[in-house]
Amino acid sequence: MIELICIVCPRGCRLKVYTDNNFKVAGNECERGEVYGRDELKNPMRVVTSTVKITGSKINRRCPVKTLNPIPKHLIFDAMRLLNSVELTAPIESGSIVVDDICGTGIPFVTTRGMS
Ligand code: SF4
């Protein structure tokens, strides 16, 4: 059995996930906690945020980006490495794709801010 804090909402329920009993979850106040507890142990996913270089912007030299959807947690470092070679040119709109397929997941990195 493994104990986790559910991070899906601010209530922060203390979950118990029984890995020896088909990942049965206890301690959750709602169904979302059951899904979170099971997925966190079987296939943890994360939204990744970072910044990339941008040239020609009056605002900043880095542009904030994030994965459009959560990606498998074990791919986070590989995903971050992909951003090292990205260099944007202003102007750019919020939601622009900067990496179109992170490590074969089909999920892109997108800008989270438009910059001129
Ligand atoms: S189990 Fe439900 S109520 Fe409890 S923290 Fe998770 S989402 Fe919130």
Side-chain angles (χ1 to χ4, degrees):
M1 184 274 292
I2 295 179
E3 291 187 324
L4 297 172
I5 304 287
C6 180
I7 60 171
V8 176
C9 89
R11 191 163 183 161
C13 294
R14 292 180 176 273
L15 307 179
K16 293 181 178 179
V17 185
Y18 295 89
T19 52
D20 56 350
N21 188 10
N22 202 25
F23 295 89
K24 182 175 170 30
V25 178
N28 52 303
E29 290 286 327
C30 74
E31 196 172 318
R32 291 185 302 162
E34 183 178 342
V35 172
Y36 171 78
R38 189 171 49 243
D39 288 352
E40 186 62 10
L41 291 188
K42 292 176 85 171
N43 184 27
M45 306 282 281
R46 294 288 185 276
V47 170
V48 179
T49 61
S50 186
T51 61
V52 295
K53 287 183 208 165
I54 185 166
T55 57
S57 172
K58 299 170 211 146
I59 301 169
N60 206 329
R61 286 183 291 181
R62 307 283 303 177
C63 180
V65 299
K66 75 174 192 73
T67 57
L68 187 59
N69 297 109
I71 63 170
K73 191 177 173 185
H74 73 271
L75 292 177
I76 289 176
F77 289 109
D78 290 339
M80 295 291 277
R81 263 194 289 276
L82 293 173
L83 296 177
N84 291 340
S85 59
V86 172
E87 184 163 342
L88 306 177
T89 303
I92 193 160
E93 293 182 9
S94 179
S96 299
I97 292 174
V98 300
V99 172
D100 63 359
D101 180 8
I102 301 167
C103 305
T105 61
I107 296 168
F109 267 113
V110 297
T111 57
T112 59
R113 179 182 184 184
M115 294 181 73
S116 54

